[in-house]
Amino acid sequence: MNAPAAAQTRQSKLIKGATGDWEIVVGMEIHAQVNSEAKLFSGASTQFGASENEHVSLVDAAMPGMLPVINEECVKQAVRSGLGLKARINRRSVFDRKNYFYPDLPQGYQISQYKSPIVGEGEVLVDVSPTEQVRIGIERLHLEQDAGKSVHDQSPNMSLVDLNRAGVALMEIVSKPDIRSADEARAYVSKVRTILRYLGTCDGDMEKGNLRADVNVSVRRPGEPLGTRCEIKNVNSIRFIGQAVDAEARRQIAIIEDGGKIDQETRLFDPARGETRSMRSKEEAHDYRYFPDPDLLPLEFDQAFVDALAAGLPELPDAKVARFMSAYGLQAYDANVLASERESADYFEAVARGRDAKAAANWVINELFGRLNKEGIDITASPVSAEQLGAILDLIDASTISGKIAKDLFEIVWKDGGDPHAIVEARGMKQVTDTGAIEAVIDAIVAANPDKVAQAQAKPTMLGWFVGQAMKQSGGKANPQTVNEILKRKLGL
Amino acid sequence: MTSLTDLTLAHARDLLLAKDISATELTEAHVEAVEKARALNAFVAETPDKALAMAKAADGRLANGTAGPLEGIPLGIKDLYATEGVHTQAASHILDGFKPRYESTVTSQLWRDGAVMLGKLNMDEFAMGSSNETSFYGPVASPWLPPEWTREKGRSALAGDKQGLLVPGGSSGGSASAVAARLCLGATASDTGGSIRQPAAFTGTVGIKPTYGRCSRWGMVAFASSLDQAGPIARSVRDCAILMRSMAGYDPKDTTSVDVAVPDYEAAIGASVRGKRIGIPKEYRIDGMPAEIEELWTKGIAWLRDAGAEIVEISLPHTRYALPAYYIVAPAEASSNLARYDGVRYGLRVPGKDIASMYENTRAAGFGKEVRRRVMIGTYVLSAGYYDAYYVRAQQIRTLIKRDFETVFADGIDAILTPATPSAAFGIGEKTSADPIEMYLNDVFTVTVNMAGLPGIAVPGGLSPKGLPLALQLIGKPFEEETLFSLGEVIEQAAGRIKLPEPWWA
Amino acid sequence: MSVDHATVRRIAHLARIAVTDDEVPHLAGELNALLSFVAELDQVDVAGIEPMTSVIPMKMHMRADVVTDQAGADAIVANAPVREEHFFVVPKVVE
């Protein structure tokens, strides 16, 4: 794949230490919960929030003699995700056992894919800023079982184990060490999340832990070989990922600049303190004794299986952005904002269809998204539908209302709902384009303010005062352009 | 009429269908035999009430014409099989008190077909052993008295520590002993390296390990997943064929079970074997093979030749590597399969100062010596730095072993004839103190079959000069168990049914 | 390859089996005996041979994505040595 470009040093990303420039190198393992009804190898539900050990099958609880049977939908979701990451799909992959003891791991091993993952190399285009795009290589994607949950705070010397999550399917998406800054790290996770949400393969809910990342950070002098890395486990928000990268890089640089060296280790990010700390206390020399799971066969499928899934894929974010730019003439930034969620892109398109797309984009981004963000409402629950917003745009376009009135109208629809056309009628919000009526208003103003007339004739910028008066007296409904024209004529400008 | 417990399964079935006997009286006779034979230690749990209730239900179906193929047949179930609400511990301390809320696929098929459960049978702990001496519940005695022993001597040993009595073989020692002692008409067993065929050979019974994937492993406590296979032990080839039909079948809950129709195996009994090409592998003629085994094999060859089969010398060049490779693959899988016994969700828990010591104490106390040894060796061969040298190499050798068989089958061989074991049964305590490898050598002729996933049957071929049973093994092509039943029947007829020992233990 | 006492302890810990000091030399002896028993395999030329993954070659059957077999929390914890409500209880695990 074309990872080399990304693997190179990006001068703009270097950070200054006390003794010169440093380059941050980040690779990431994203754990994304697969959207499915049942678990990866059992028929128990994946639903969140059940009471303890309710969503558990005999297989998940590792009862003696129980055997795993793979869920076909999870396989399909992994393939779809691979296709969305422009990755090689391996038509033969193998499930291995990763052996270790932990109370939330009932089998004493996790079924995962070690040597032969279902998805191989791919890449993701990541927009770091409106003007900067980088290419991050994907190393692999594999399927594995999630573990259960231990609750530690109920008793001073006991932990409680709930296996509801045990056996839920996860996709582990491993990036190449192509990420060079905290911004890139954030943008990468955000992009992968967007792609998975578009595909419907993972809901991307980071609060529930349905998407989380292990972040591998190292630092080096530009041009030098990779430094020793530390793995920051289980970071569960995009903001924290950025903070963790920065904090860890700063820590490593300080150590090296003080003449120390970095120990390869697993660390945790503490958001309250904004720093990472070692997990060494609990860590042991891990020896996972991977070997192919003898209860399962190699996972094999033909190209037709892959092709059928490819044919059913939705348009993905990159393609959508490109189309929004070419078909609607949008700027890259706006196109990216609109395409960040499949639902918002669909909303935009419903508004833009048959209308001025740029105006539609402005309204959706500035008015609608602004308002939704402020109120913390999801686009899918927007009080103003695409149809209603479209109607508002139609009223502007037909000069029935002014832009200013349109904002008032948007407020009314947001709060009370209703058909914008009917509201405009009922509330008399129509713009006055009748020149006679406007002339009468202007004549009255001109007659009442001879001093201002003189000033305006001497200094044409005073015209604005008259426009303001005219608009005020017409209750904002006068067409500003008409007001302008009549005023200029009346004042001889 | 002979006693009800002396009937073959096939004969009992016919009498039940003819309403000459009832399932209840047949079951009562067996329940009584089980009680009287407690000293053999073949059963680890008796379920007489369940048995009689099942028999009563069977009588109802026999009366109303809805009888299944095993209606009213009393069976023993190896403790390896999960039986709902009934003791299921794989004869291990670590599963103390475990009563599953589920029924294994194989046993549920037996009950579906009308069979009656007498109880759970002793075995080597987690099926690891060749003498049934590794059971947490103590050794099982064979119903065969050691040569020259009087019944009094046998009874007194049985009342004591059983030393010197004969082992029934293992790991399905309880199954073999119970069937040979006429405590049940047949029994479920399981075979990972020879655990059906070797105990059948030691006790003068018939046992078949079907093709890997023929029977579901769901609900059978796992030892080594890629080798474990369920199968029956019974007193005739026909009885095994009858049981196999009920035990076999595709199970969507076991990914490694194979979706192939189950034939009427019994129909293969009596089929002509004329023209069948029987391979005699020269590599099985091992150094130091006892003369009695050599003679048995020669007789077997003659019997099949007399029945019209063609005898062909063949070569299976990787045979000698099968046992060492097995002792890498099986412990490796076992070390992982047995990780679930951790004192958290079921079975024994021995407290410790923290979670790690709770695990370590529980597993040290819960696993017997042989199991601990195999878990250790399995952990070692999978550990970092050794995986390729041991595990991968052993699996490569497994490919070569399987290829050996594929080559001879491709050359037109229909089945392979070998001895089942390198010796007759030995005494309890005779091989336990010694080097474990001496015990492992019991499986030298049977283990190749597991490594290649093939079906194999052990059929009695007669008695040794000292009067102990010896058996021949027939190895077949994948899913051609029928050929083994046809050939096995020929041997059984030619050798003459072995006269099983009178119940000196009762 | 020979297993020393430190290795026995490491393997025992990996396998979570407590061993006493007295057991270690004996276990080392047994493991070494087994390793020399399997050393014979080193003679076999395995170059280019695929390690076996499934003894009966076939395609893996897959299950449909349907919730079919939840046992219920009662059944799941029924055999637990220690439980609280429907949780399994273990000695405190330090994160």
Side-chain angles (χ1 to χ4, degrees):
Chain A
M1 299 293 296
N2 12 10
Q8 286 164 8
T9 299
R10 290 192 277 282
Q11 290 297 329
S12 61
K13 297 299 166 70
L14 298 182
I15 56 172
K16 287 250 178 291
T19 58
D21 286 345
W22 291 91
E23 182 177 33
I24 305 178
V25 176
V26 178
M28 233 180 283
E29 290 153 28
I30 294 177
H31 296 264
Q33 182 181 325
V34 174
N35 263 349
S36 64
E37 295 294 319
K39 294 182 181 181
L40 181 54
F41 293 110
S42 86
S45 169
T46 58
Q47 232 174 58
F48 189 79
S51 62
E52 74 271 11
N53 288 315
E54 204 53 63
H55 287 174
V56 181
S57 78
L58 299 166
V59 177
D60 307 322
M63 292 291 169
M66 293 299 97
L67 298 170
V69 179
I70 196 165
N71 180 336
E72 181 169 20
E73 181 60 17
C74 296
V75 173
K76 287 180 172 173
Q77 294 287 50
V79 172
R80 288 186 189 110
S81 301
L83 292 168
L85 298 170
K86 301 195 195 83
R88 192 183 70 238
I89 305 300
N90 293 326
R91 277 159 40 199
R92 182 180 194 277
S93 63
V94 174
F95 286 97
D96 298 287
R97 292 184 182 179
K98 178 182 183 179
N99 295 283
Y100 64 98
F101 286 87
Y102 207 71
D104 62 14
L105 187 75
Q107 297 162 137
Y109 53 85
Q110 176 197 36
I111 307 178
S112 180
Q113 297 189 300
Y114 183 52
K115 283 193 176 156
S116 310
I118 184 167
V119 175
E121 291 182 316
E123 66 170 23
V124 179
L125 285 174
V126 175
D127 292 283
V128 187
S129 72
T131 54
E132 191 198 5
Q133 189 175 61
V134 295
R135 225 175 256 274
I136 307 297
I138 297 292
E139 179 68 36
R140 56 185 279 162
L141 175 155
H142 68 255
L143 281 167
E144 64 184 26
Q145 297 176 301
D146 202 351
K149 224 178 141 149
S150 303
V151 184
H152 307 296
D153 50 6
Q154 304 283 310
S155 146
N157 46 17
M158 291 290 171
S159 293
L160 306 181
V161 181
D162 168 22
L163 300 179
N164 280 345
R165 282 187 87 94
V168 167
L170 298 179
M171 295 180 281
E172 180 172 325
I173 303 166
V174 183
S175 84
K176 293 184 182 286
D178 289 350
I179 299 163
R180 290 292 173 274
S181 70
D183 284 347
E184 289 186 14
R186 279 201 311 263
Y188 165 74
V189 176
S190 162
K191 183 61 177 282
V192 169
R193 179 175 175 275
T194 300
I195 292 171
L196 299 182
R197 283 173 54 82
Y198 259 68
L199 292 164
T201 57
C202 170
D203 70 11
D205 190 336
M206 297 185 80
E207 271 172 33
K208 286 187 190 155
N210 295 356
L211 192 140
R212 51 196 193 261
D214 297 341
V215 189
N216 290 289
V217 180
S218 64
V219 297
R220 65 174 170 188
R221 297 289 190 187
E224 292 197 348
L226 290 173
T228 304
R229 68 190 162 88
C230 291
E231 183 180 24
I232 310 160
K233 279 274 181 205
N234 261 328
V235 192
N236 62 358
S237 95
I238 290 179
R239 194 157 55 94
F240 292 163
I241 287 168
Q243 291 172 359
V245 168
D246 274 337
E248 178 59 17
R250 277 198 310 273
R251 185 188 73 88
Q252 293 185 10
I253 291 168
I255 290 173
I256 301 170
E257 290 192 332
D258 275 356
K261 68 186 255 302
I262 305 301
D263 295 326
Q264 182 160 349
E265 62 177 355
T266 305
R267 302 179 67 85
L268 278 179
F269 179 64
D270 180 344
R273 293 162 173 246
E275 60 187 34
T276 66
R277 61 181 161 84
S278 179
M279 288 174 77
R280 217 173 344 195
S281 58
K282 94 167 223 188
E283 197 153 341
E284 295 179 19
H286 282 303
D287 185 343
Y288 291 123
R289 291 159 284 136
Y290 284 100
F291 75 109
D293 191 330
D295 286 333
L296 295 163
L297 300 167
L299 175 59
E300 291 171 300
F301 42 78
D302 55 19
Q303 190 56 41
F305 178 84
V306 180
D307 291 345
L309 293 170
L313 291 189
E315 182 182 38
L316 290 172
D318 291 344
K320 209 173 275 280
V321 167
R323 185 167 60 78
F324 282 6
M325 291 170 70
S326 64
Y328 297 119
L330 302 186
Q331 294 298 310
Y333 182 77
D334 286 354
N336 267 302
V337 170
L338 291 167
S340 67
E341 297 284 342
R342 192 168 165 179
E343 292 78 10
S344 54
D346 290 347
Y347 188 104
F348 160 71
E349 289 213 81
V351 176
R353 197 165 299 125
R355 302 195 175 91
D356 175 351
K358 285 185 191 170
N362 278 334
W363 270 86
V364 171
I365 294 170
N366 298 322
E367 300 308 319
L368 181 75
F369 287 1
R371 193 66 200 272
L372 289 170
N373 281 341
K374 202 171 123 197
E375 312 257 333
I377 299 174
D378 193 81
I379 182 87
T380 52
S382 170
V384 178
S385 71
E387 202 184 1
Q388 288 167 318
L389 184 56
I392 295 173
L393 262 65
D394 289 343
L395 288 162
I396 301 171
D397 193 50
S399 297
T400 311
I401 56 173
S402 66
K404 186 179 172 300
I405 291 289
K407 288 182 185 177
D408 297 342
L409 177 58
F410 179 85
E411 266 313 301
I412 294 166
V413 176
W414 178 281
K415 289 207 174 91
D416 306 331
D419 170 17
H421 289 281
I423 295 167
V424 166
E425 274 308 326
R427 305 203 182 189
M429 298 168 81
K430 271 193 176 169
Q431 187 161 252
V432 179
T433 45
D434 172 0
T435 43
I438 297 173
E439 266 194 64
V441 170
I442 288 173
D443 286 345
I445 297 168
V446 167
N449 297 286
D451 52 334
K452 299 273 195 233
V453 172
Q455 284 176 25
Q457 278 161 345
K459 197 177 163 206
T461 49
M462 269 301 290
L463 185 68
W465 183 85
F466 284 95
V467 175
Q469 289 298 310
M471 294 304 290
K472 198 171 161 188
Q473 292 193 18
S474 70
K477 287 181 283 183
N479 183 321
Q481 217 174 337
T482 316
V483 171
N484 242 307
E485 282 163 14
I486 296 170
L487 267 171
K488 280 182 180 169
R489 182 156 47 78
K490 297 273 177 189
L491 300 177
L493 295 174
Chain B
M1 199 168 89
T2 53
S3 128
L4 289 174
T5 54
D6 285 334
L7 297 170
T8 61
L9 190 154
H11 193 185
R13 173 194 61 185
D14 297 344
L15 293 174
L16 284 164
L17 286 173
K19 305 203 174 59
D20 290 340
I21 58 171
S22 72
T24 301
E25 60 184 310
L26 183 65
T27 298
E28 280 168 349
H30 282 95
V31 166
E32 194 192 333
V34 169
E35 278 172 19
K36 286 187 176 161
R38 279 187 190 142
L40 291 177
N41 202 25
F43 279 81
V44 291
E46 296 170 21
T47 55
D49 296 342
K50 196 177 176 75
L52 290 168
M54 290 172 94
K56 195 176 166 202
D59 278 328
R61 288 188 292 271
L62 284 159
N64 70 19
T66 57
L70 292 174
E71 203 65 62
I73 300 294
L75 300 177
I77 302 300
K78 189 176 182 179
D79 199 31
L80 196 73
Y81 292 82
T83 43
E84 195 173 350
V86 176
H87 183 286
T88 298
Q89 293 186 205
S92 179
H93 186 34
I94 208 158
L95 271 166
D96 251 13
F98 181 64
K99 289 191 169 66
R101 296 287 188 102
Y102 50 96
E103 185 78 31
S104 81
T105 299
V106 164
T107 49
S108 65
Q109 288 173 182
L110 293 170
W111 317 142
R112 173 201 67 199
D113 287 353
V116 168
M117 177 164 79
L118 291 167
K120 300 300 285 288
L121 293 163
N122 207 340
M123 56 183 282
D124 278 302
E125 185 183 3
F126 283 108
M128 296 179 192
S130 303
S131 62
N132 213 123
E133 292 168 281
T134 72
S135 167
F136 175 67
Y137 297 97
V140 176
S142 170
W144 291 83
L145 274 174
E148 328 267 305
W149 278 39
T150 61
R151 43 188 294 157
E152 286 66 34
K153 190 175 177 188
R155 288 171 72 96
S156 107
L158 216 47
D161 61 4
K162 299 193 178 67
Q163 297 297 299
L165 287 165
L166 294 175
V167 302
S171 66
S172 310
S175 307
S177 179
V179 170
R182 279 91 76 214
L183 311 184
C184 50
L185 293 177
T188 63
S190 70
D191 193 317
T192 306
S195 281
I196 290 175
R197 292 158 289 159
Q198 184 256 17
F202 276 13
T203 56
T205 55
V206 181
I208 180 166
K209 179 204 96 75
T211 311
Y212 184 81
R214 179 72 284 190
C215 295
S216 170
R217 293 185 298 115
W218 194 89
M220 203 170 86
V221 175
F223 162 14
S225 308
S226 75
L227 301 158
D228 295 346
Q229 189 56 205
I233 290 179
R235 289 197 288 274
S236 74
V237 173
R238 181 183 295 273
D239 289 359
C240 276
I242 293 169
L243 286 168
M244 262 295 293
R245 190 182 182 188
S246 292
M247 292 171 74
Y250 171 64
D251 180 3
K253 290 187 288 193
D254 175 4
T255 294
T256 61
S257 94
V258 183
D259 196 358
V260 181
V262 179
D264 178 2
Y265 292 116
E266 199 181 355
I269 306 287
S272 167
V273 301
R274 187 160 298 281
K276 293 273 185 214
R277 287 165 60 86
I278 307 300
I280 309 299
K282 61 179 187 199
E283 289 80 6
Y284 282 59
R285 229 170 278 280
I286 53 173
D287 293 342
M289 188 192 266
E292 63 200 50
I293 300 294
E294 188 80 57
E295 281 161 30
L296 165 81
W297 199 4
T298 309
K299 274 195 277 182
I301 291 169
W303 292 330
L304 292 179
R305 188 184 283 125
D306 292 347
E310 185 188 340
I311 305 299
V312 185
E313 167 125 335
I314 58 166
S315 172
L316 299 167
H318 295 91
T319 298
R320 64 176 301 175
Y321 303 112
L323 196 63
Y326 172 86
Y327 273 96
I328 291 170
V329 174
E333 292 183 9
S335 71
S336 177
N337 283 336
L338 270 57
R340 63 189 56 200
Y341 306 105
D342 59 4
V344 176
R345 294 168 314 286
Y346 40 74
L348 184 73
R349 172 187 294 198
V350 179
K353 63 176 170 27
D354 55 17
I355 182 83
S357 60
M358 186 278 274
Y359 286 151
E360 294 185 350
N361 295 343
T362 298
R363 291 164 61 81
F367 292 144
K369 199 172 168 214
E370 181 63 25
V371 173
R372 291 201 302 270
R373 176 158 49 219
R374 295 205 201 184
V375 169
M376 291 275 287
I377 195 79
T379 303
Y380 181 80
V381 298
L382 289 177
S383 68
Y386 300 107
Y387 176 75
D388 288 325
Y390 288 115
Y391 187 77
V392 174
R393 173 171 284 263
Q395 291 287 31
Q396 287 172 312
I397 288 168
R398 215 175 150 188
T399 301
L400 292 171
I401 292 165
K402 189 173 176 229
R403 235 181 242 178
D404 285 353
F405 283 106
E406 284 168 348
T407 305
V408 298
F409 289 139
D411 288 347
I413 294 298
D414 294 299
I416 295 162
L417 180 74
T418 77
T421 56
S423 73
F426 47 89
I428 292 176
E430 197 178 305
K431 293 194 179 185
T432 41
S433 49
D435 174 6
I437 289 154
E438 198 192 330
M439 185 72 88
Y440 299 167
L441 290 170
N442 266 288
D443 292 336
V444 67
F445 296 140
T446 47
V447 78
T448 50
V449 175
N450 301 76
M451 294 296 268
L454 302 173
I457 191 169
V459 182
L463 299 179
S464 71
K466 288 182 173 167
L468 295 182
L470 297 173
L472 288 158
Q473 171 179 240
L474 286 155
I475 302 168
K477 298 188 213 176
F479 300 100
E480 294 195 10
E481 285 83 1
E482 288 162 287
T483 305
L484 300 187
F485 287 125
S486 302
L487 291 164
E489 174 73 8
V490 168
I491 289 175
E492 191 175 82
Q493 294 297 328
R497 184 76 57 77
I498 282 186
K499 192 179 174 313
L500 294 168
E502 288 306 316
W504 53 268
W505 55 86
Chain C
M1 276 174 268
S2 172
V3 177
D4 58 19
H5 293 186
T7 306
V8 169
R9 289 177 202 280
R10 184 175 64 81
I11 295 299
H13 182 62
L14 262 182
R16 296 295 186 275
I17 294 175
V19 289
T20 61
D21 290 346
D22 298 350
E23 289 172 302
V24 171
H26 185 64
L27 277 166
E30 284 182 352
L31 292 185
N32 281 319
L34 242 154
L35 293 178
S36 56
F37 173 60
V38 303
E40 190 181 2
L41 300 179
D42 293 345
Q43 304 162 9
V44 185
D45 180 10
V46 291
I49 303 295
E50 218 19 63
M52 181 167 290
T53 44
S54 68
V55 70
I56 302 296
M58 59 178 180
K59 205 174 166 231
M60 181 156 68
H61 157 82
M62 300 199 244
R63 70 158 73 227
D65 185 26
V66 184
V67 176
T68 50
D69 61 355
Q70 278 167 181
D74 283 342
I76 292 299
V77 301
N79 281 287
V82 187
R83 59 177 188 261
E84 193 173 309
E85 309 204 319
H86 286 115
F87 286 103
F88 298 105
V89 179
V90 296
K92 188 101 175 170
V93 181
V94 186
E95 286 280 301

